[in-house]
Amino acid sequence: MVDKIPFLWYLAPFGAILALIFAFILFRNVKKQDPGNEQMQRIAGHVREGAFAYLKQQYKGVGIFFVIAFIIFNIMAWVLKVLHPLIPWAFLTGGFFSGLAGFIGMNTATLASNRTTQGARDSLNKGLKIAFRAGGVMGLAVVGLALIDISIWFYILNSVKMPLQTITVVMLSFGMGASTQALFARLGGGIYTKAADVGADLVGKIEAGIPEDDPRNPATIADNVGDNVGDVAGMGADLYESYAGSILATAALGMAAVTQIFGFGTQAMKEHAIYFVTAPMALAGVGALLSILGIYMVSTKEGAGTKELMFALNKGVYGSSILIAIASYFITHYMLPPQYAFGVFLASVIGLAAGVLIGYFTERSTSHSFKPTQGIAKQAEYGPATVIIDGIAVGMKSTAAPVIIIVIAIIAAFSLSHGFEYTEVGLYGIGFGAVGMLATLGVTLAMDAFGPIADNAGGNAEMSKLPKEVRERTDALDSVGNTTAATGKGFAIGSAALTAMALLAAYLEEVRTGLRLLGAKVLNIHYTTNLVKEIGLDQATISDFIAFYKINLMNPRFLVSIFLGAMVTFVFAALTMKAVGRAAGDMVAEVRRQFKAKPGILKGEVEPEYAKCVKISAVGAQREMIAPALLGIVTPIATGLIFGIAGVLGVLAGGLSTGLVLAIMMNNAGGAWDNAKKYIETGQMGGKHSEAHNASIVGDTVGDPFKDTAGPSINILIKLMSMVSIVFAGFIVAYSPKIEKLYTKENVLENIQYEESIEK
């Protein structure tokens, strides 16, 4: 019998379609704006051409990976029989829509930069609106495409009478497609942009003494291209993955929660299951609708300072957050049993509040309106070494508030959702908190994409030699854009923590499916030598699986895997940082070569060879992103085969805890260094071209790969390892016991009663 889909579920496809319609309306609105004079259009054309050339090259490489992965998954499904046959297809659609969202966002961003510059010639408010609404295209495209993908899969699978438990398993797996695409987009884009940025700064600003974004710098076009491929396409793919992952993990946990509350196979379970599974989808649909409203709430007055501009942007986030909290009450009240509805509602509000608070504290750590960043600027008077020391200290200290917020959010969501009574329901509450945090993603991501668009607009103004007041307006937008970008990265990291927490629990549901594929029916859980508990596979709770696989600190396989997970995040960050260093070295050599070979470049008599620098960044990014990506994919599989299910969860726990703190530190340190430089450029500490300014440029250069490559890529690593573990759960369940038996006397499979033995 097909489960009747609740009426409120249709908010998800409706919200998705409306989000895509408004994304198109905003795109048309941006496109019809005045593109500026011929020089402005020519510069924007160079950037657009370079961005699409890179994206085309990247999608070729990613396409090859997806084909190989698709073949492997089909072998696992049809030959090894450890995977559902639909999962390879779900994997493909997740990756496709994630890549499409990034493409749409970047297409709009590259059209918007010169139009934002032209808007800033008229007024600050006009420049702000063009840049923000262009970012809104990215936000609404991500939300719309993710929700339409989820809605189509759910509707079709439910229509063909697939059991709800199987539907959640299949759908959860397309998160790996989104995660893989996100890692390649974020990592490749981050290496690209920072190779160009560091190369441009080291030779242009420090050695040649020419301004930032000066058209005489051969690397300046590549730098502007990088802003788009890294911070627009990359961030879009990143948050697409978090958004989809949180919804799908919560749906899977909903199935586990309803089973624990009412008992497997009972009539009450059958009646409530569809509501528990679809509630997060309905909430996301309402969030999509309210994000549209939030985007149109953003405006400011002429002459606004940094704080006023931030308030103008935050109006959209705060307004839509308040409305989504109200909507969440009615959705949970209608769809969930009365004794659990209010607790889950509070969990969603806690997630929303956590997202807003993380953004607030990130702003305080990175904006030059506050003391931490001003302190770094003050240290610049003593040289670059003290800038580096103070910036690292600011980054480390800034981890306290977000981590404490996330800890409180997790405990509060778990407790209020009756988690200490029913573990699965508490985990469902945590998942709902993640959905709540990401429900307003349309407007939150618009704020983030605003940053690189404003940055490109400033570069366009500089290279087009526009009047001073235009550059002052674009600088104001750019400075706020740095803060919104840092805030967006903090938000992405916070959402990754809650999403990964939900995925950890969802992983054990996938282990259940893996055991079912092996024909398991009953688990024999050995608590002591004499105490053995027999429990049916379908009745087993998460606590039962933890006991069965000995997932505790006294199991050395679990403990050593935590160390491995922690280590992976540092090695991953090191690989990405060194990748930027190598690619930047190639860029520095090319810029120096051009200055030496063509002295007329610095005199403004000869145009630099921009295309060669664009190619160097593109080739470097493609080459350097392979090793870090493979590290994230291979680690949970290899650890799982050697140390079993306990080992996989150990790696995920170690990676999540360490990666979360490291990512926040790198993100905020990089943002603070960048804004300390901009603070000095406003005339503080001697202003531009002073010794303090030169020292701050060094700090900014060090911070570039911190905040734009390694930091934001770590949160994708966390989720990718979770998704890889989920997809390979059946494989690990089947084959890890054979390897574990080589170095232990234990054999997990001997503690399972199979279908055949029961029949006998």
Side-chain angles (χ1 to χ4, degrees), residues 159-381:
S159 298
V160 297
K161 303 182 182 180
M162 182 179 283
L164 265 182
Q165 200 165 25
T166 309
I167 290 175
T168 57
V169 167
V170 172
M171 289 181 63
L172 187 56
S173 66
F174 83 62
M176 184 183 166
S179 295
T180 307
Q181 164 60 29
L183 184 66
F184 282 121
R186 201 52 158 128
L187 191 54
I191 294 169
Y192 183 107
T193 183
K194 291 307 109 180
D197 198 358
V198 171
D201 285 355
L202 288 177
V203 186
K205 287 195 287 187
I206 295 177
E207 293 182 9
I210 58 178
E212 187 171 5
D213 295 320
D214 193 297
R216 293 172 292 173
N217 192 330
T220 192
I221 293 294
D223 185 8
N224 281 274
V225 170
D227 290 334
N228 290 289
V229 299
D231 287 338
V232 179
M235 178 58 88
D238 177 359
L239 284 168
Y240 178 102
E241 169 217 21
S242 283
Y243 184 70
S246 67
I247 296 168
L248 297 169
T250 307
L253 288 171
M255 194 67 218
V258 79
T259 301
Q260 189 181 25
I261 294 170
F262 299 108
F264 182 79
T266 63
Q267 186 59 35
M269 187 211 97
K270 293 175 182 177
E271 289 173 0
H272 287 92
I274 189 74
Y275 290 96
F276 272 81
V277 169
T278 56
M281 302 178 197
L283 181 62
V286 175
L289 298 172
L290 296 177
S291 290
I292 297 167
L293 183 63
I295 288 169
Y296 281 97
M297 291 171 67
V298 173
S299 64
T300 191
K301 62 181 186 295
E302 193 59 34
T306 305
K307 285 189 176 180
E308 290 83 3
L309 285 171
M310 272 307 302
F311 176 74
L313 292 170
N314 281 328
K315 276 191 301 186
V317 175
Y318 296 153
S320 53
S321 295
I322 291 168
L323 292 172
I324 195 68
I326 295 169
S328 176
Y329 173 80
F330 291 102
I331 287 172
T332 53
H333 179 74
Y334 175 78
M335 301 188 79
L336 303 178
Q339 62 269 42
Y340 302 106
F342 190 66
V344 174
F345 155 69
L346 290 177
S348 69
V349 173
I350 287 165
L352 268 170
V356 171
L357 285 172
I358 288 170
Y360 170 75
F361 282 104
T362 302
E363 181 186 347
R364 290 192 67 88
S365 298
T366 57
S367 171
H368 64 52
S369 298
F370 299 98
K371 287 183 179 179
T373 298
Q374 292 174 6
I376 296 173
K378 179 68 177 173
Q379 291 295 327
E381 294 182 323

Side-chain angles (χ1 to χ4, degrees), residues 359-430:
Y360 170 75
F361 282 104
T362 302
E363 181 186 347
R364 290 192 67 88
S365 298
T366 57
S367 171
H368 64 52
S369 298
F370 299 98
K371 287 183 179 179
T373 298
Q374 292 174 6
I376 296 173
K378 179 68 177 173
Q379 291 295 327
E381 294 182 323
Y382 313 120
T386 48
V387 170
I388 303 300
I389 292 168
D390 203 55
I392 291 175
V394 166
M396 288 180 171
K397 188 178 178 182
S398 73
T399 62
V403 170
I404 291 169
I405 289 165
I406 289 166
V407 166
I408 292 172
I410 287 173
I411 291 295
F414 187 82
S415 176
L416 291 168
S417 304
H418 303 275
F420 291 104
E421 182 183 355
Y422 295 113
T423 302
E424 276 82 348
V425 186
L427 293 169
Y428 182 69
I430 292 171

Side-chain angles (χ1 to χ4, degrees), residues 403-522:
V403 170
I404 291 169
I405 289 165
I406 289 166
V407 166
I408 292 172
I410 287 173
I411 291 295
F414 187 82
S415 176
L416 291 168
S417 304
H418 303 275
F420 291 104
E421 182 183 355
Y422 295 113
T423 302
E424 276 82 348
V425 186
L427 293 169
Y428 182 69
I430 292 171
F432 228 86
V435 176
M437 181 186 281
L438 288 160
T440 56
L441 181 62
V443 66
T444 309
L445 187 50
M447 275 185 72
D448 190 79
F450 163 84
I453 293 168
D455 192 358
N456 268 217
N460 195 292
E462 180 72 33
M463 287 185 276
S464 302
K465 297 182 171 59
L466 296 182
K468 183 183 176 182
E469 63 268 18
V470 178
R471 183 71 215 222
E472 287 174 353
R473 288 170 185 161
T474 58
D475 278 350
L477 295 175
D478 185 18
S479 180
V480 174
N482 276 331
T483 302
T484 62
T487 303
K489 293 182 185 97
F491 178 82
I493 293 164
S495 68
L498 287 185
T499 302
M501 181 75 189
L503 289 172
L504 279 174
Y507 172 68
L508 289 175
E509 286 303 305
E510 297 291 329
V511 169
R512 187 199 308 270
T513 301
L515 288 168
R516 191 178 288 116
L517 289 171
L518 288 179
K521 283 292 181 183
V522 176

